Amino acid sequence: MVTLTSVALAESDQEFFDKVIAGQRGRPGALLGILEKAQEREPRKFLSREVLEYIAAKTDTPLARIYSVVTFYALFNLEPQGKNTICICRGTACHTRGSRELLESLMFKLGFHDPEEVTADKIALNTSDGNYTIRTVACFGQCALAPVVEVNHAVYGHMNEQTLQRELEHLGKETAKK
Ligand code: FES
């Protein structure tokens, strides 16, 4: 039995999670469903330690197991995400059609100047102003449209520098209005 040593969540949050957990009880993939709903509820789309501890205690699941699930699935985040997410495919088809150059120029524009960061296996970087998250993915499964970039969940095929720059400017304006 996992014990909850300190309750760090507001009462309304606890009520929400209790309801979600009760709704998922006994279902296959219940833990994934709970975690997805928990992340969806958070405006910055991430799972805080407090939330994970609460879920662990209430589902009687070891915290280490919850962390292993969260770190295994790319859809879960342990850190607050930017207001905008740009995800660049680094699969072979996209790579041969210039996705690395797109990634490099995007990172440069958003203030990431360390060349080592571009070569990391998996990229998930947040700008310090909280406005952008840059991610990479192994393949979107849309190789015929290479290079593929996803901007706030909208998929763009045959992406090029100019279009990406235009998107970035558009996001910058929209974000400033909020
Ligand atoms: S390699 Fe980029 S979509 Fe498949």
Side-chain angles (χ1 to χ4, degrees), residues 89 91-94 139-143 148:
C89 178
T92 309
C94 289
C139 178
F140 279 116
Q142 313 241 23
C143 311
V148 180

Side-chain angles (χ1 to χ4, degrees), residues 26-47:
R27 292 193 182 188
L31 182 57
L32 285 178
I34 295 165
L35 292 169
E36 264 186 75
K37 287 203 164 57
Q39 181 166 286
E40 200 43 49
R41 183 169 196 249
E42 167 57 54
R44 302 286 302 276
K45 305 295 175 239
F46 78 110
L47 294 161

Side-chain angles (χ1 to χ4, degrees), residues 124-171:
L125 296 167
N126 296 310
T127 57
S128 54
D129 59 8
N131 284 342
Y132 298 93
T133 295
I134 304 174
R135 291 177 165 275
T136 54
V137 70
C139 178
F140 279 116
Q142 313 241 23
C143 311
L145 300 178
V148 180
V149 175
E150 192 185 71
V151 180
N152 289 341
H153 304 298
V155 173
Y156 293 77
H158 308 303
M159 182 58 95
N160 59 40
E161 280 269 353
Q162 292 76 3
T163 309
L164 189 55
Q165 174 61 28
R166 243 190 349 256
E167 277 306 311
L168 206 53
E169 283 165 15
H170 174 71
L171 292 178

Side-chain angles (χ1 to χ4, degrees), residues 93-115:
C94 289
H95 181 78
T96 53
R97 289 178 176 256
S99 66
R100 183 187 166 121
E101 288 73 19
L102 290 174
L103 178 63
E104 273 174 355
S105 101
L106 178 67
M107 286 174 66
F108 192 77
K109 282 176 188 138
L110 293 181
F112 298 99
H113 300 296
D114 180 354

Side-chain angles (χ1 to χ4, degrees), residues 2-75:
V2 181
T3 51
L4 200 55
T5 47
S6 64
V7 176
L9 295 184
E11 214 167 293
S12 58
D13 291 330
Q14 293 183 39
E15 276 169 22
F16 171 82
F17 289 119
D18 291 349
K19 223 163 151 183
V20 167
I21 291 165
Q24 292 285 333
R25 192 156 288 134
R27 292 193 182 188
L31 182 57
L32 285 178
I34 295 165
L35 292 169
E36 264 186 75
K37 287 203 164 57
Q39 181 166 286
E40 200 43 49
R41 183 169 196 249
E42 167 57 54
R44 302 286 302 276
K45 305 295 175 239
F46 78 110
L47 294 161
S48 68
R49 181 165 180 101
E50 293 74 27
V51 164
L52 295 180
E53 281 177 352
Y54 192 80
I55 292 171
K58 289 293 181 157
T59 58
D60 210 8
T61 307
L63 189 57
R65 169 141 184 266
I66 297 213
Y67 267 100
S68 72
V69 170
V70 170
T71 50
F72 180 79
Y73 290 97
L75 83 120

